[in-house]
Amino acid sequence: MRNITTLLKRTGAPIMVNVYPYFAYASDPSHISLEYATFRSSTPVVDGQYKYYSLFDAMVDAYYAALEKIDAGNVPIVVSETGWPTAGNDPYTSVANAQAYNKNLLGRVGRQGTPRRPDRAVEAFIFAMFNENRKPNGVEQNWGLFYPSMKAVYPLFQGC
């Protein structure tokens, strides 16, 4: 990892990370609330000096903490994939949960940093554009914002 971060530091390039609060929530819903996983928590999770109102921020900051441990804390992070599936693992997957997560994600990214990096706005890419009906049945088919027919799975952007 040090070789990679040395190159990234030298070139000024970011490290790309996948951040999926859905998986953490679905695997441990007794300890992770849906509100915390979907940017709607009013009660923070406190980690030392940092207060987290979303699992997304805590996960991004976990990457920053790991980078700091190998003297790469100045390498920027870009979230290359994040999202929430609409079906395949009831009750954790639903259109309402996916819409809440992605809507709140859009309201969150690009505007502010994380508690560990408050002055560095988070960039993120939503996974995925389309549901993938050729994947095996279950969660993996249902991450898309659109069906293969190009009809929106749920309204997220104006005009869709």
Side-chain angles (χ1 to χ4, degrees), residues 37-146:
T38 56
F39 302 94
R40 299 181 290 184
S41 179
S42 59
T43 305
V45 171
V46 178
D47 182 13
Q49 68 191 56
Y50 304 111
K51 292 182 181 179
Y52 294 97
Y53 289 89
S54 73
L55 183 54
F56 177 90
D57 282 353
M59 293 173 83
V60 171
D61 272 358
Y63 283 108
Y64 277 123
L67 288 171
E68 289 169 5
K69 286 187 182 261
I70 58 169
D71 194 33
N74 62 339
V75 172
I77 289 175
V78 172
V79 177
S80 53
E81 290 185 11
T82 192
W84 199 284
T86 55
N89 187 21
D90 292 336
Y92 313 112
T93 57
S94 69
V95 168
N97 289 351
Q99 185 177 26
Y101 179 82
N102 285 318
K103 179 182 172 204
N104 293 330
L105 173 75
L106 291 177
R108 165 69 186 78
V109 298
R111 295 191 167 99
Q112 65 190 53
T114 63
R116 189 175 283 271
R117 295 288 187 284
D119 297 328
R120 187 178 285 171
V122 178
E123 295 180 59
F125 294 88
I126 295 175
F127 181 85
M129 183 65 75
F130 293 98
N131 277 347
E132 300 180 63
N133 60 342
R134 293 188 179 221
K135 283 189 172 180
N137 286 337
V139 169
E140 288 302 317
Q141 284 188 338
N142 297 292
W143 290 87
L145 302 175
F146 297 90

